[in-house]
PDB file of all heavy atoms in Angstrom:
ATOM      1  N   ASP A  23      81.555   1.899  25.549  1.00  0.00           N
ATOM      2  CA  ASP A  23      82.755   1.137  25.192  1.00  0.00           C
ATOM      3  C   ASP A  23      82.960   1.228  23.679  1.00  0.00           C
ATOM      4  O   ASP A  23      82.988   2.323  23.150  1.00  0.00           O
ATOM      5  CB  ASP A  23      82.675  -0.301  25.689  1.00  0.00           C
ATOM      6  CG  ASP A  23      82.725  -0.388  27.215  1.00  0.00           C
ATOM      7  OD1 ASP A  23      83.440   0.432  27.824  1.00  0.00           O
ATOM      8  OD2 ASP A  23      82.047  -1.258  27.772  1.00  0.00           O
ATOM      9  N   ASP A  24      83.065   0.088  22.987  1.00  0.00           N
ATOM     10  CA  ASP A  24      83.300   0.108  21.541  1.00  0.00           C
ATOM     11  C   ASP A  24      82.010   0.066  20.735  1.00  0.00           C
ATOM     12  O   ASP A  24      82.052  -0.079  19.512  1.00  0.00           O
ATOM     13  CB  ASP A  24      84.187  -1.070  21.139  1.00  0.00           C
ATOM     14  CG  ASP A  24      85.606  -0.907  21.655  1.00  0.00           C
ATOM     15  OD1 ASP A  24      86.050   0.252  21.837  1.00  0.00           O
ATOM     16  OD2 ASP A  24      86.269  -1.928  21.894  1.00  0.00           O
ATOM     17  N   GLU A  25      80.875   0.179  21.400  1.00  0.00           N
ATOM     18  CA  GLU A  25      79.581   0.137  20.724  1.00  0.00           C
ATOM     19  C   GLU A  25      78.839   1.448  20.971  1.00  0.00           C
ATOM     20  O   GLU A  25      79.351   2.346  21.615  1.00  0.00           O
ATOM     21  CB  GLU A  25      78.764  -1.051  21.242  1.00  0.00           C
ATOM     22  CG  GLU A  25      79.443  -2.378  20.952  1.00  0.00           C
ATOM     23  CD  GLU A  25      78.731  -3.549  21.574  1.00  0.00           C
ATOM     24  OE1 GLU A  25      78.404  -3.482  22.771  1.00  0.00           O
ATOM     25  OE2 GLU A  25      78.538  -4.534  20.859  1.00  0.00           O
ATOM     26  N   VAL A  26      77.634   1.514  20.424  1.00  0.00           N
ATOM     27  CA  VAL A  26      76.793   2.693  20.602  1.00  0.00           C
ATOM     28  C   VAL A  26      75.436   2.243  21.104  1.00  0.00           C
ATOM     29  O   VAL A  26      74.910   1.213  20.671  1.00  0.00           O
ATOM     30  CB  VAL A  26      76.635   3.460  19.265  1.00  0.00           C
ATOM     31  CG1 VAL A  26      75.544   4.515  19.353  1.00  0.00           C
ATOM     32  CG2 VAL A  26      77.950   4.107  18.858  1.00  0.00           C
ATOM     33  N   LEU A  27      74.877   2.997  22.029  1.00  0.00           N
ATOM     34  CA  LEU A  27      73.500   2.808  22.452  1.00  0.00           C
ATOM     35  C   LEU A  27      72.673   3.847  21.712  1.00  0.00           C
ATOM     36  O   LEU A  27      72.824   5.056  21.945  1.00  0.00           O
ATOM     37  CB  LEU A  27      73.357   2.976  23.961  1.00  0.00           C
ATOM     38  CG  LEU A  27      74.029   1.906  24.805  1.00  0.00           C
ATOM     39  CD1 LEU A  27      73.917   2.246  26.286  1.00  0.00           C
ATOM     40  CD2 LEU A  27      73.421   0.538  24.529  1.00  0.00           C
ATOM     41  N   VAL A  28      71.830   3.374  20.785  1.00  0.00           N
ATOM     42  CA  VAL A  28      71.002   4.245  19.957  1.00  0.00           C
ATOM     43  C   VAL A  28      69.602   4.286  20.554  1.00  0.00           C
ATOM     44  O   VAL A  28      68.987   3.237  20.769  1.00  0.00           O
ATOM     45  CB  VAL A  28      70.942   3.740  18.498  1.00  0.00           C
ATOM     46  CG1 VAL A  28      70.053   4.644  17.663  1.00  0.00           C
ATOM     47  CG2 VAL A  28      72.341   3.657  17.902  1.00  0.00           C
ATOM     48  N   ASP A  29      69.100   5.483  20.808  1.00  0.00           N
ATOM     49  CA  ASP A  29      67.767   5.643  21.380  1.00  0.00           C
ATOM     50  C   ASP A  29      66.703   5.153  20.406  1.00  0.00           C
ATOM     51  O   ASP A  29      66.682   5.571  19.235  1.00  0.00           O
ATOM     52  CB  ASP A  29      67.495   7.100  21.723  1.00  0.00           C
ATOM     53  CG  ASP A  29      68.414   7.646  22.805  1.00  0.00           C
ATOM     54  OD1 ASP A  29      68.990   6.836  23.557  1.00  0.00           O
ATOM     55  OD2 ASP A  29      68.552   8.873  22.886  1.00  0.00           O
ATOM     56  N   VAL A  30      65.813   4.294  20.896  1.00  0.00           N
ATOM     57  CA  VAL A  30      64.717   3.767  20.082  1.00  0.00           C
ATOM     58  C   VAL A  30      63.860   4.921  19.556  1.00  0.00           C
ATOM     59  O   VAL A  30      63.478   4.940  18.383  1.00  0.00           O
ATOM     60  CB  VAL A  30      63.874   2.756  20.890  1.00  0.00           C
ATOM     61  CG1 VAL A  30      62.608   2.371  20.153  1.00  0.00           C
ATOM     62  CG2 VAL A  30      64.706   1.522  21.230  1.00  0.00           C
ATOM     63  N   ALA A  31      63.591   5.897  20.407  1.00  0.00           N
ATOM     64  CA  ALA A  31      62.778   7.047  19.992  1.00  0.00           C
ATOM     65  C   ALA A  31      63.462   7.832  18.871  1.00  0.00           C
ATOM     66  O   ALA A  31      62.787   8.349  17.965  1.00  0.00           O
ATOM     67  CB  ALA A  31      62.504   7.952  21.185  1.00  0.00           C
ATOM     68  N   ALA A  32      64.782   7.907  18.899  1.00  0.00           N
ATOM     69  CA  ALA A  32      65.508   8.622  17.846  1.00  0.00           C
ATOM     70  C   ALA A  32      65.395   7.892  16.517  1.00  0.00           C
ATOM     71  O   ALA A  32      65.263   8.527  15.466  1.00  0.00           O
ATOM     72  CB  ALA A  32      66.976   8.787  18.240  1.00  0.00           C
ATOM     73  N   VAL A  33      65.434   6.565  16.542  1.00  0.00           N
ATOM     74  CA  VAL A  33      65.272   5.800  15.302  1.00  0.00           C
ATOM     75  C   VAL A  33      63.895   6.091  14.712  1.00  0.00           C
ATOM     76  O   VAL A  33      63.763   6.350  13.506  1.00  0.00           O
ATOM     77  CB  VAL A  33      65.457   4.290  15.540  1.00  0.00           C
ATOM     78  CG1 VAL A  33      65.152   3.501  14.268  1.00  0.00           C
ATOM     79  CG2 VAL A  33      66.864   3.992  16.027  1.00  0.00           C
ATOM     80  N   ARG A  34      62.873   6.070  15.547  1.00  0.00           N
ATOM     81  CA  ARG A  34      61.514   6.378  15.063  1.00  0.00           C
ATOM     82  C   ARG A  34      61.462   7.791  14.483  1.00  0.00           C
ATOM     83  O   ARG A  34      60.866   8.021  13.440  1.00  0.00           O
ATOM     84  CB  ARG A  34      60.502   6.222  16.191  1.00  0.00           C
ATOM     85  CG  ARG A  34      60.220   4.781  16.530  1.00  0.00           C
ATOM     86  CD  ARG A  34      59.057   4.655  17.525  1.00  0.00           C
ATOM     87  NE  ARG A  34      58.678   3.262  17.667  1.00  0.00           N
ATOM     88  CZ  ARG A  34      58.926   2.520  18.729  1.00  0.00           C
ATOM     89  NH1 ARG A  34      59.569   3.037  19.768  1.00  0.00           N
ATOM     90  NH2 ARG A  34      58.530   1.263  18.764  1.00  0.00           N
ATOM     91  N   ARG A  35      62.080   8.733  15.166  1.00  0.00           N
ATOM     92  CA  ARG A  35      62.087  10.127  14.698  1.00  0.00           C
ATOM     93  C   ARG A  35      62.800  10.257  13.355  1.00  0.00           C
ATOM     94  O   ARG A  35      62.294  10.899  12.428  1.00  0.00           O
ATOM     95  CB  ARG A  35      62.765  11.012  15.749  1.00  0.00           C
ATOM     96  CG  ARG A  35      62.740  12.493  15.408  1.00  0.00           C
ATOM     97  CD  ARG A  35      63.473  13.348  16.434  1.00  0.00           C
ATOM     98  NE  ARG A  35      64.917  13.228  16.256  1.00  0.00           N
ATOM     99  CZ  ARG A  35      65.758  12.727  17.147  1.00  0.00           C
ATOM    100  NH1 ARG A  35      65.340  12.289  18.301  1.00  0.00           N
ATOM    101  NH2 ARG A  35      67.055  12.671  16.899  1.00  0.00           N
ATOM    102  N   LEU A  36      63.957   9.616  13.232  1.00  0.00           N
ATOM    103  CA  LEU A  36      64.728   9.709  11.990  1.00  0.00           C
ATOM    104  C   LEU A  36      64.049   8.995  10.830  1.00  0.00           C
ATOM    105  O   LEU A  36      64.200   9.395   9.677  1.00  0.00           O
ATOM    106  CB  LEU A  36      66.137   9.148  12.204  1.00  0.00           C
ATOM    107  CG  LEU A  36      67.043   9.954  13.131  1.00  0.00           C
ATOM    108  CD1 LEU A  36      68.304   9.169  13.451  1.00  0.00           C
ATOM    109  CD2 LEU A  36      67.373  11.308  12.531  1.00  0.00           C
ATOM    110  N   ALA A  37      63.293   7.947  11.119  1.00  0.00           N
ATOM    111  CA  ALA A  37      62.604   7.192  10.063  1.00  0.00           C
ATOM    112  C   ALA A  37      61.299   7.838   9.637  1.00  0.00           C
ATOM    113  O   ALA A  37      60.811   7.592   8.524  1.00  0.00           O
ATOM    114  CB  ALA A  37      62.334   5.765  10.540  1.00  0.00           C
ATOM    115  N   SER A  38      60.743   8.662  10.486  1.00  0.00           N
ATOM    116  CA  SER A  38      59.438   9.267  10.232  1.00  0.00           C
ATOM    117  C   SER A  38      59.390   9.976   8.883  1.00  0.00           C
ATOM    118  O   SER A  38      60.286  10.734   8.525  1.00  0.00           O
ATOM    119  CB  SER A  38      59.120  10.269  11.347  1.00  0.00           C
ATOM    120  OG  SER A  38      57.881  10.880  11.115  1.00  0.00           O
ATOM    121  N   GLY A  39      58.332   9.677   8.133  1.00  0.00           N
ATOM    122  CA  GLY A  39      58.139  10.311   6.835  1.00  0.00           C
ATOM    123  C   GLY A  39      58.847   9.629   5.681  1.00  0.00           C
ATOM    124  O   GLY A  39      58.637  10.001   4.532  1.00  0.00           O
ATOM    125  N   SER A  40      59.677   8.635   5.973  1.00  0.00           N
ATOM    126  CA  SER A  40      60.404   7.979   4.883  1.00  0.00           C
ATOM    127  C   SER A  40      60.183   6.473   4.854  1.00  0.00           C
ATOM    128  O   SER A  40      60.877   5.772   4.120  1.00  0.00           O
ATOM    129  CB  SER A  40      61.905   8.291   4.982  1.00  0.00           C
ATOM    130  OG  SER A  40      62.439   7.776   6.181  1.00  0.00           O
ATOM    131  N   VAL A  41      59.226   5.988   5.647  1.00  0.00           N
ATOM    132  CA  VAL A  41      58.947   4.555   5.686  1.00  0.00           C
ATOM    133  C   VAL A  41      57.440   4.324   5.536  1.00  0.00           C
ATOM    134  O   VAL A  41      56.638   5.219   5.796  1.00  0.00           O
ATOM    135  CB  VAL A  41      59.454   3.908   6.997  1.00  0.00           C
ATOM    136  CG1 VAL A  41      60.968   3.899   7.038  1.00  0.00           C
ATOM    137  CG2 VAL A  41      58.897   4.613   8.218  1.00  0.00           C
ATOM    138  N   ALA A  42      57.093   3.113   5.139  1.00  0.00           N
ATOM    139  CA  ALA A  42      55.687   2.749   4.950  1.00  0.00           C
ATOM    140  C   ALA A  42      54.989   2.580   6.298  1.00  0.00           C
ATOM    141  O   ALA A  42      55.637   2.445   7.340  1.00  0.00           O
ATOM    142  CB  ALA A  42      55.597   1.449   4.151  1.00  0.00           C
ATOM    143  N   ASP A  43      53.670   2.555   6.245  1.00  0.00           N
ATOM    144  CA  ASP A  43      52.881   2.377   7.469  1.00  0.00           C
ATOM    145  C   ASP A  43      53.204   1.067   8.178  1.00  0.00           C
ATOM    146  O   ASP A  43      53.099   0.983   9.405  1.00  0.00           O
ATOM    147  CB  ASP A  43      51.388   2.427   7.151  1.00  0.00           C
ATOM    148  CG  ASP A  43      50.942   3.823   6.713  1.00  0.00           C
ATOM    149  OD1 ASP A  43      51.654   4.803   7.012  1.00  0.00           O
ATOM    150  OD2 ASP A  43      49.880   3.919   6.073  1.00  0.00           O
ATOM    151  N   SER A  44      53.607   0.060   7.437  1.00  0.00           N
ATOM    152  CA  SER A  44      53.917  -1.252   8.027  1.00  0.00           C
ATOM    153  C   SER A  44      55.260  -1.261   8.759  1.00  0.00           C
ATOM    154  O   SER A  44      55.597  -2.228   9.438  1.00  0.00           O
ATOM    155  CB  SER A  44      53.920  -2.330   6.943  1.00  0.00           C
ATOM    156  OG  SER A  44      54.931  -2.045   5.990  1.00  0.00           O
ATOM    157  N   TRP A  45      56.010  -0.189   8.647  1.00  0.00           N
ATOM    158  CA  TRP A  45      57.350  -0.136   9.231  1.00  0.00           C
ATOM    159  C   TRP A  45      57.331  -0.356  10.734  1.00  0.00           C
ATOM    160  O   TRP A  45      58.197  -1.050  11.268  1.00  0.00           O
ATOM    161  CB  TRP A  45      58.020   1.202   8.915  1.00  0.00           C
ATOM    162  CG  TRP A  45      59.391   1.329   9.492  1.00  0.00           C
ATOM    163  CD1 TRP A  45      60.547   0.868   8.956  1.00  0.00           C
ATOM    164  CD2 TRP A  45      59.757   1.944  10.741  1.00  0.00           C
ATOM    165  NE1 TRP A  45      61.615   1.171   9.777  1.00  0.00           N
ATOM    166  CE2 TRP A  45      61.143   1.831  10.877  1.00  0.00           C
ATOM    167  CE3 TRP A  45      59.037   2.592  11.738  1.00  0.00           C
ATOM    168  CZ2 TRP A  45      61.838   2.340  11.969  1.00  0.00           C
ATOM    169  CZ3 TRP A  45      59.724   3.092  12.840  1.00  0.00           C
ATOM    170  CH2 TRP A  45      61.110   2.963  12.948  1.00  0.00           C
ATOM    171  N   GLU A  46      56.370   0.213  11.427  1.00  0.00           N
ATOM    172  CA  GLU A  46      56.352   0.102  12.886  1.00  0.00           C
ATOM    173  C   GLU A  46      56.312  -1.359  13.325  1.00  0.00           C
ATOM    174  O   GLU A  46      57.005  -1.745  14.266  1.00  0.00           O
ATOM    175  CB  GLU A  46      55.168   0.869  13.485  1.00  0.00           C
ATOM    176  CG  GLU A  46      55.151   0.875  15.007  1.00  0.00           C
ATOM    177  CD  GLU A  46      56.381   1.502  15.661  1.00  0.00           C
ATOM    178  OE1 GLU A  46      56.881   2.537  15.192  1.00  0.00           O
ATOM    179  OE2 GLU A  46      56.850   0.926  16.674  1.00  0.00           O
ATOM    180  N   ALA A  47      55.521  -2.184  12.627  1.00  0.00           N
ATOM    181  CA  ALA A  47      55.471  -3.619  12.968  1.00  0.00           C
ATOM    182  C   ALA A  47      56.819  -4.277  12.685  1.00  0.00           C
ATOM    183  O   ALA A  47      57.288  -5.104  13.481  1.00  0.00           O
ATOM    184  CB  ALA A  47      54.361  -4.313  12.192  1.00  0.00           C
ATOM    185  N   ASP A  48      57.442  -3.922  11.580  1.00  0.00           N
ATOM    186  CA  ASP A  48      58.761  -4.469  11.249  1.00  0.00           C
ATOM    187  C   ASP A  48      59.802  -4.034  12.279  1.00  0.00           C
ATOM    188  O   ASP A  48      60.644  -4.830  12.716  1.00  0.00           O
ATOM    189  CB  ASP A  48      59.200  -4.024   9.856  1.00  0.00           C
ATOM    190  CG  ASP A  48      58.331  -4.585   8.750  1.00  0.00           C
ATOM    191  OD1 ASP A  48      57.640  -5.593   8.976  1.00  0.00           O
ATOM    192  OD2 ASP A  48      58.336  -3.986   7.649  1.00  0.00           O
ATOM    193  N   PHE A  49      59.739  -2.775  12.664  1.00  0.00           N
ATOM    194  CA  PHE A  49      60.686  -2.247  13.649  1.00  0.00           C
ATOM    195  C   PHE A  49      60.474  -2.935  14.995  1.00  0.00           C
ATOM    196  O   PHE A  49      61.441  -3.292  15.670  1.00  0.00           O
ATOM    197  CB  PHE A  49      60.536  -0.732  13.764  1.00  0.00           C
ATOM    198  CG  PHE A  49      61.530  -0.085  14.677  1.00  0.00           C
ATOM    199  CD1 PHE A  49      62.895  -0.246  14.480  1.00  0.00           C
ATOM    200  CD2 PHE A  49      61.109   0.702  15.728  1.00  0.00           C
ATOM    201  CE1 PHE A  49      63.827   0.351  15.318  1.00  0.00           C
ATOM    202  CE2 PHE A  49      62.024   1.314  16.578  1.00  0.00           C
ATOM    203  CZ  PHE A  49      63.381   1.143  16.372  1.00  0.00           C
ATOM    204  N   GLN A  50      59.233  -3.151  15.374  1.00  0.00           N
ATOM    205  CA  GLN A  50      58.956  -3.843  16.632  1.00  0.00           C
ATOM    206  C   GLN A  50      59.517  -5.267  16.598  1.00  0.00           C
ATOM    207  O   GLN A  50      60.053  -5.754  17.581  1.00  0.00           O
ATOM    208  CB  GLN A  50      57.458  -3.874  16.938  1.00  0.00           C
ATOM    209  CG  GLN A  50      57.146  -4.448  18.310  1.00  0.00           C
ATOM    210  CD  GLN A  50      57.821  -3.671  19.440  1.00  0.00           C
ATOM    211  OE1 GLN A  50      57.695  -2.452  19.538  1.00  0.00           O
ATOM    212  NE2 GLN A  50      58.552  -4.374  20.295  1.00  0.00           N
ATOM    213  N   GLY A  51      59.413  -5.922  15.442  1.00  0.00           N
ATOM    214  CA  GLY A  51      60.011  -7.247  15.290  1.00  0.00           C
ATOM    215  C   GLY A  51      61.515  -7.196  15.483  1.00  0.00           C
ATOM    216  O   GLY A  51      62.105  -8.086  16.113  1.00  0.00           O
ATOM    217  N   MET A  52      62.150  -6.142  14.955  1.00  0.00           N
ATOM    218  CA  MET A  52      63.585  -5.976  15.130  1.00  0.00           C
ATOM    219  C   MET A  52      63.917  -5.773  16.610  1.00  0.00           C
ATOM    220  O   MET A  52      64.877  -6.350  17.133  1.00  0.00           O
ATOM    221  CB  MET A  52      64.092  -4.785  14.315  1.00  0.00           C
ATOM    222  CG  MET A  52      65.599  -4.623  14.346  1.00  0.00           C
ATOM    223  SD  MET A  52      66.148  -3.127  13.536  1.00  0.00           S
ATOM    224  CE  MET A  52      66.376  -2.101  14.978  1.00  0.00           C
ATOM    225  N   LEU A  53      63.112  -4.972  17.301  1.00  0.00           N
ATOM    226  CA  LEU A  53      63.335  -4.731  18.724  1.00  0.00           C
ATOM    227  C   LEU A  53      63.158  -6.015  19.531  1.00  0.00           C
ATOM    228  O   LEU A  53      63.933  -6.286  20.462  1.00  0.00           O
ATOM    229  CB  LEU A  53      62.394  -3.645  19.246  1.00  0.00           C
ATOM    230  CG  LEU A  53      62.628  -2.239  18.693  1.00  0.00           C
ATOM    231  CD1 LEU A  53      61.537  -1.298  19.204  1.00  0.00           C
ATOM    232  CD2 LEU A  53      64.001  -1.729  19.027  1.00  0.00           C
ATOM    233  N   ASP A  54      62.159  -6.812  19.177  1.00  0.00           N
ATOM    234  CA  ASP A  54      61.947  -8.088  19.869  1.00  0.00           C
ATOM    235  C   ASP A  54      63.147  -9.010  19.683  1.00  0.00           C
ATOM    236  O   ASP A  54      63.603  -9.659  20.628  1.00  0.00           O
ATOM    237  CB  ASP A  54      60.669  -8.768  19.372  1.00  0.00           C
ATOM    238  CG  ASP A  54      59.409  -8.012  19.767  1.00  0.00           C
ATOM    239  OD1 ASP A  54      59.458  -7.157  20.678  1.00  0.00           O
ATOM    240  OD2 ASP A  54      58.358  -8.260  19.127  1.00  0.00           O
ATOM    241  N   PHE A  55      63.671  -9.058  18.449  1.00  0.00           N
ATOM    242  CA  PHE A  55      64.861  -9.866  18.187  1.00  0.00           C
ATOM    243  C   PHE A  55      66.053  -9.331  18.984  1.00  0.00           C
ATOM    244  O   PHE A  55      66.803 -10.104  19.600  1.00  0.00           O
ATOM    245  CB  PHE A  55      65.168  -9.892  16.689  1.00  0.00           C
ATOM    246  CG  PHE A  55      66.376 -10.706  16.350  1.00  0.00           C
ATOM    247  CD1 PHE A  55      66.312 -12.091  16.343  1.00  0.00           C
ATOM    248  CD2 PHE A  55      67.588 -10.102  16.027  1.00  0.00           C
ATOM    249  CE1 PHE A  55      67.433 -12.857  16.037  1.00  0.00           C
ATOM    250  CE2 PHE A  55      68.710 -10.854  15.722  1.00  0.00           C
ATOM    251  CZ  PHE A  55      68.625 -12.241  15.725  1.00  0.00           C
ATOM    252  N   ALA A  56      66.224  -8.009  18.988  1.00  0.00           N
ATOM    253  CA  ALA A  56      67.324  -7.398  19.739  1.00  0.00           C
ATOM    254  C   ALA A  56      67.212  -7.729  21.226  1.00  0.00           C
ATOM    255  O   ALA A  56      68.219  -8.018  21.882  1.00  0.00           O
ATOM    256  CB  ALA A  56      67.331  -5.887  19.522  1.00  0.00           C
ATOM    257  N   ARG A  57      66.008  -7.722  21.746  1.00  0.00           N
ATOM    258  CA  ARG A  57      65.812  -8.061  23.158  1.00  0.00           C
ATOM    259  C   ARG A  57      66.235  -9.515  23.416  1.00  0.00           C
ATOM    260  O   ARG A  57      66.898  -9.797  24.410  1.00  0.00           O
ATOM    261  CB  ARG A  57      64.346  -7.865  23.555  1.00  0.00           C
ATOM    262  CG  ARG A  57      64.089  -8.191  25.029  1.00  0.00           C
ATOM    263  CD  ARG A  57      62.672  -7.869  25.459  1.00  0.00           C
ATOM    264  NE  ARG A  57      62.568  -6.426  25.704  1.00  0.00           N
ATOM    265  CZ  ARG A  57      61.817  -5.595  24.975  1.00  0.00           C
ATOM    266  NH1 ARG A  57      61.080  -6.044  23.991  1.00  0.00           N
ATOM    267  NH2 ARG A  57      61.792  -4.312  25.255  1.00  0.00           N
ATOM    268  N   SER A  58      65.896 -10.420  22.506  1.00  0.00           N
ATOM    269  CA  SER A  58      66.241 -11.831  22.687  1.00  0.00           C
ATOM    270  C   SER A  58      67.751 -12.050  22.671  1.00  0.00           C
ATOM    271  O   SER A  58      68.247 -13.014  23.253  1.00  0.00           O
ATOM    272  CB  SER A  58      65.572 -12.697  21.613  1.00  0.00           C
ATOM    273  OG  SER A  58      66.223 -12.586  20.360  1.00  0.00           O
ATOM    274  N   LYS A  59      68.486 -11.174  22.012  1.00  0.00           N
ATOM    275  CA  LYS A  59      69.949 -11.267  21.943  1.00  0.00           C
ATOM    276  C   LYS A  59      70.642 -10.391  22.989  1.00  0.00           C
ATOM    277  O   LYS A  59      71.860 -10.304  23.005  1.00  0.00           O
ATOM    278  CB  LYS A  59      70.433 -10.850  20.547  1.00  0.00           C
ATOM    279  CG  LYS A  59      69.923 -11.740  19.435  1.00  0.00           C
ATOM    280  CD  LYS A  59      70.477 -13.122  19.582  1.00  0.00           C
ATOM    281  CE  LYS A  59      70.074 -13.982  18.397  1.00  0.00           C
ATOM    282  NZ  LYS A  59      70.578 -15.341  18.521  1.00  0.00           N
ATOM    283  N   ARG A  60      69.833  -9.719  23.821  1.00  0.00           N
ATOM    284  CA  ARG A  60      70.332  -8.798  24.844  1.00  0.00           C
ATOM    285  C   ARG A  60      71.023  -7.577  24.240  1.00  0.00           C
ATOM    286  O   ARG A  60      71.955  -7.016  24.817  1.00  0.00           O
ATOM    287  CB  ARG A  60      71.222  -9.515  25.856  1.00  0.00           C
ATOM    288  CG  ARG A  60      70.490 -10.691  26.518  1.00  0.00           C
ATOM    289  CD  ARG A  60      71.172 -11.268  27.709  1.00  0.00           C
ATOM    290  NE  ARG A  60      71.535 -10.338  28.752  1.00  0.00           N
ATOM    291  CZ  ARG A  60      70.721  -9.912  29.730  1.00  0.00           C
ATOM    292  NH1 ARG A  60      69.494 -10.310  29.771  1.00  0.00           N
ATOM    293  NH2 ARG A  60      71.174  -9.074  30.649  1.00  0.00           N
ATOM    294  N   TRP A  61      70.563  -7.175  23.043  1.00  0.00           N
ATOM    295  CA  TRP A  61      71.069  -5.974  22.383  1.00  0.00           C
ATOM    296  C   TRP A  61      70.193  -4.770  22.683  1.00  0.00           C
ATOM    297  O   TRP A  61      70.475  -3.667  22.208  1.00  0.00           O
ATOM    298  CB  TRP A  61      71.153  -6.168  20.876  1.00  0.00           C
ATOM    299  CG  TRP A  61      72.080  -7.252  20.447  1.00  0.00           C
ATOM    300  CD1 TRP A  61      73.184  -7.722  21.109  1.00  0.00           C
ATOM    301  CD2 TRP A  61      71.988  -8.023  19.255  1.00  0.00           C
ATOM    302  NE1 TRP A  61      73.770  -8.741  20.383  1.00  0.00           N
ATOM    303  CE2 TRP A  61      73.065  -8.943  19.244  1.00  0.00           C
ATOM    304  CE3 TRP A  61      71.111  -8.029  18.186  1.00  0.00           C
ATOM    305  CZ2 TRP A  61      73.272  -9.842  18.218  1.00  0.00           C
ATOM    306  CZ3 TRP A  61      71.318  -8.927  17.156  1.00  0.00           C
ATOM    307  CH2 TRP A  61      72.396  -9.827  17.174  1.00  0.00           C
ATOM    308  N   LEU A  62      69.132  -4.971  23.445  1.00  0.00           N
ATOM    309  CA  LEU A  62      68.243  -3.894  23.854  1.00  0.00           C
ATOM    310  C   LEU A  62      68.482  -3.665  25.344  1.00  0.00           C
ATOM    311  O   LEU A  62      68.633  -4.630  26.108  1.00  0.00           O
ATOM    312  CB  LEU A  62      66.792  -4.317  23.601  1.00  0.00           C
ATOM    313  CG  LEU A  62      65.723  -3.235  23.555  1.00  0.00           C
ATOM    314  CD1 LEU A  62      65.986  -2.261  22.412  1.00  0.00           C
ATOM    315  CD2 LEU A  62      64.345  -3.862  23.395  1.00  0.00           C
ATOM    316  N   THR A  63      68.554  -2.406  25.751  1.00  0.00           N
ATOM    317  CA  THR A  63      68.749  -2.136  27.171  1.00  0.00           C
ATOM    318  C   THR A  63      67.578  -2.699  27.968  1.00  0.00           C
ATOM    319  O   THR A  63      66.488  -2.910  27.426  1.00  0.00           O
ATOM    320  CB  THR A  63      68.895  -0.625  27.432  1.00  0.00           C
ATOM    321  OG1 THR A  63      67.757   0.055  26.919  1.00  0.00           O
ATOM    322  CG2 THR A  63      70.179  -0.073  26.807  1.00  0.00           C
ATOM    323  N   ASP A  64      67.791  -2.939  29.245  1.00  0.00           N
ATOM    324  CA  ASP A  64      66.756  -3.531  30.097  1.00  0.00           C
ATOM    325  C   ASP A  64      65.459  -2.733  30.081  1.00  0.00           C
ATOM    326  O   ASP A  64      64.380  -3.306  30.155  1.00  0.00           O
ATOM    327  CB  ASP A  64      67.253  -3.680  31.535  1.00  0.00           C
ATOM    328  CG  ASP A  64      68.331  -4.747  31.666  1.00  0.00           C
ATOM    329  OD1 ASP A  64      68.438  -5.624  30.774  1.00  0.00           O
ATOM    330  OD2 ASP A  64      69.081  -4.705  32.659  1.00  0.00           O
TER     331      ASP A  64
END
């Protein structure tokens, strides 16, 4: 529709090599928040 479904694996791939080691924990926190708002696919 008027939004985009962005693959989680693609975000990890695009971020690889340009983020700190702690990024994965931060990204997981973002995914958890997205899930709570129903912004993550089932």
Side-chain angles (χ1 to χ4, degrees):
D23 292 325
D24 291 332
E25 298 174 312
V26 168
L27 292 175
V28 179
D29 296 340
V30 171
V33 175
R34 286 188 171 107
R35 184 183 76 243
L36 292 170
S38 179
S40 63
V41 291
D43 292 340
S44 62
W45 180 84
E46 184 60 41
D48 294 340
F49 184 56
Q50 186 58 53
M52 185 186 99
L53 293 175
D54 292 343
F55 180 76
R57 181 174 281 114
S58 76
K59 298 295 185 181
R60 304 192 53 84
W61 298 333
L62 198 62
T63 56
D64 290 340

